[in-house]
Amino acid sequence: MTAPAPDLHVEFDGRPATAEDLRIPAFAGYGHFTAMQVRDRAVRGLSLHLDRLDSANRELFGQPLDGERVRELIGHALDGAGVRDASLRVHGFLPPDSTATVVMVTVREPARADGAPRSLMPVPFARSVPHIKRPGEFCQTYYGQQARRAGFDEALLISPGGMVTEGAITNIAFWDGTSVVWPDAPALTGITMALLESGLARTDRPSVRRGVPLDAVAAYRAAFVTNSQGIAPVHRIDDIPFTVDEGLMKMVGQVYDDSPRETV
């Protein structure tokens, strides 16, 4: 049996965080991150996470972020926390007085997704620079809280043109009875979404990107959301009910489960 993860274990460049280190995210929070679930020292789509970090680092700071270095830092943080299962985040920062990217790795207790059907409240917001996963997303947090106060599980972000983009902390997909349909709109391509897209293509199951107007979502037979914790069906968007398609959920769940794991 694996040891329980600590409430929070934080390392900077492979050493335990100091108070001075923590000033970086607190006062110079311009940066990026990726979030993953680790099970028995393995991660689904680890190469995609490493590519995401390198790409964002090049765009934000003009320098690469070596994947092998990040892999070593992840392993070191897991060793430091004394765990093999965890919710883990890797952040990249470039403090004002530094010429090299500082890597922060945080280790928490692993998430236990229950797969319960979700309700989504549409809100009028689309993220700027949505392809960069970054900390401090005020509007996503704000609208997420507003959705929960209104009795929903999450906010669904709607562009000024009335198009579905993504959830506040998820990607969303629809099922038209033939294909899995991902909104063709500016949004973060989540790692779970990317694994499903490639897995569906690999197994010759239809998966497409198509514009999804909010006023047309009722035409779809089912919907589901994805993030680093897994996949969950959608049972309601605003006042529009959706049937939980057990066959669909079994299919995408199997595709996700079959995605290769990489060790750290």
Side-chain angles (χ1 to χ4, degrees), residues 27 38 106 150 156 188 204 209 245:
F27 298 109
V38 183
T106 66
L156 181 64
L188 178 73
D204 294 323
R209 295 202 184 194
D245 188 317

Side-chain angles (χ1 to χ4, degrees), residues 171-174 180 182 196 222-226 231-234 248-249 252:
N171 290 114
I172 186 167
F174 296 87
V180 172
W182 306 93
L196 285 179
F224 61 89
V225 292
T226 69
I231 308 167
V234 171
L248 170 67
M249 299 311 299
V252 295

